[in-house]
Amino acid sequence: MGRLEGKVAIITGANSGIGKATAERFALEGADLVLAARRLDKLKEVEAYAVAQGVRALSVATDVSQPEDCRRLVEAAVAAFDRIDILVNNAGIDDKNKSITNCDLELWEKVISTDQNSVYFMMKEVLPHMERADQGSIVNISSIGATRSNAGISYTAAKMAVIGMTKNVAIQYAGTGIRCNAVCPGPTETPIFSPENAAAFDKEFARACARHFDGSVPRTQPEDQANAILFFASDESKAVNGETLVVDYGGTI
């Protein structure tokens, strides 16, 4: 406990799944939180949990695909806490495993704007504040869909871009107090993999992707991803920069 004492963290997509688990873990470790998602009601539940752990928390309704919303989120964080030590770019949507022949332009643009552009927007807004403090940790959530290219075309493209941006920012700030790393979750028990959502996946392409797994490896839990994110966010990883950590029980080895 106390690994994030005195730090302020922005977590996007903090209302469910990996984001919620990360927020709860960060609160237990002493971080003050700025929680972002589109649905404010669910965010308030996470906020209440954080406050009950003795930390401060602020919920901000945010559509991270919109640069103006990202700017307002960062401004709200600075106004409330006067600093930003950690940014977790977790918000994202799936693309129903749509192959390139089944992915229309509307879906492509929606996934790219939410899963890729939002990471650019948020880092661009947060980094000037980290530069002034000469310290900070950014943790971007990518996917094994990036490392293995076995997700839908738009999701794969966006999550590969997240890894590229992570390394690019890490190069820029190497040797300073600012770090940027990525976590690549494997299949995790979140709403994306609920039976209802999975039923809408592109079945033909999903079968092709399934050949990369034999079913012997369990799905991870949101808490497993939160633990990896915590490592990158904490000073325990102060010598780690520009790295990508796959958390999937070894399923993609």
Side-chain angles (χ1 to χ4, degrees), residues 136-221:
S137 177
I138 297 173
V139 188
N140 295 325
I141 309 307
S142 182
S143 170
I144 60 166
T147 62
R148 298 297 179 187
S149 300
N150 60 347
I153 185 67
S154 57
Y155 189 81
T156 296
K159 292 302 186 178
M160 289 187 81
V162 168
I163 292 177
M165 287 188 287
T166 297
K167 292 182 178 295
N168 187 272
V169 170
I171 289 170
Q172 180 177 349
Y173 292 96
T176 74
I178 299 171
R179 301 178 294 113
C180 188
N181 293 286
V183 172
C184 290
T188 305
E189 294 291 351
T190 68
I192 286 179
F193 284 97
S194 68
E196 298 79 14
N197 200 49
F201 280 19
D202 184 315
K203 291 179 175 54
E204 181 179 350
F205 193 63
R207 281 194 293 271
C209 293
R211 291 197 295 268
H212 298 272
F213 300 93
D214 64 7
S216 63
V217 177
R219 285 184 179 174
T220 63
Q221 298 299 314

Side-chain angles (χ1 to χ4, degrees), residues 6-11 32-34 70-88 122-138 177-178:
K7 296 185 182 294
V8 175
I10 296 177
I11 303 172
D32 293 325
L33 302 176
V34 180
C70 294
R71 185 175 303 114
R72 284 194 292 269
L73 170 60
V74 173
E75 288 173 350
V78 173
F81 300 115
D82 199 37
R83 60 187 295 169
I84 301 169
D85 301 289
I86 301 163
L87 168 63
V88 180
M122 287 301 303
M123 290 197 295
K124 191 171 180 66
E125 293 295 333
V126 163
L127 278 165
H129 299 283
M130 291 184 171
E131 286 177 343
R132 282 191 283 275
D134 195 32
Q135 63 86 34
S137 177
I138 297 173
I178 299 171

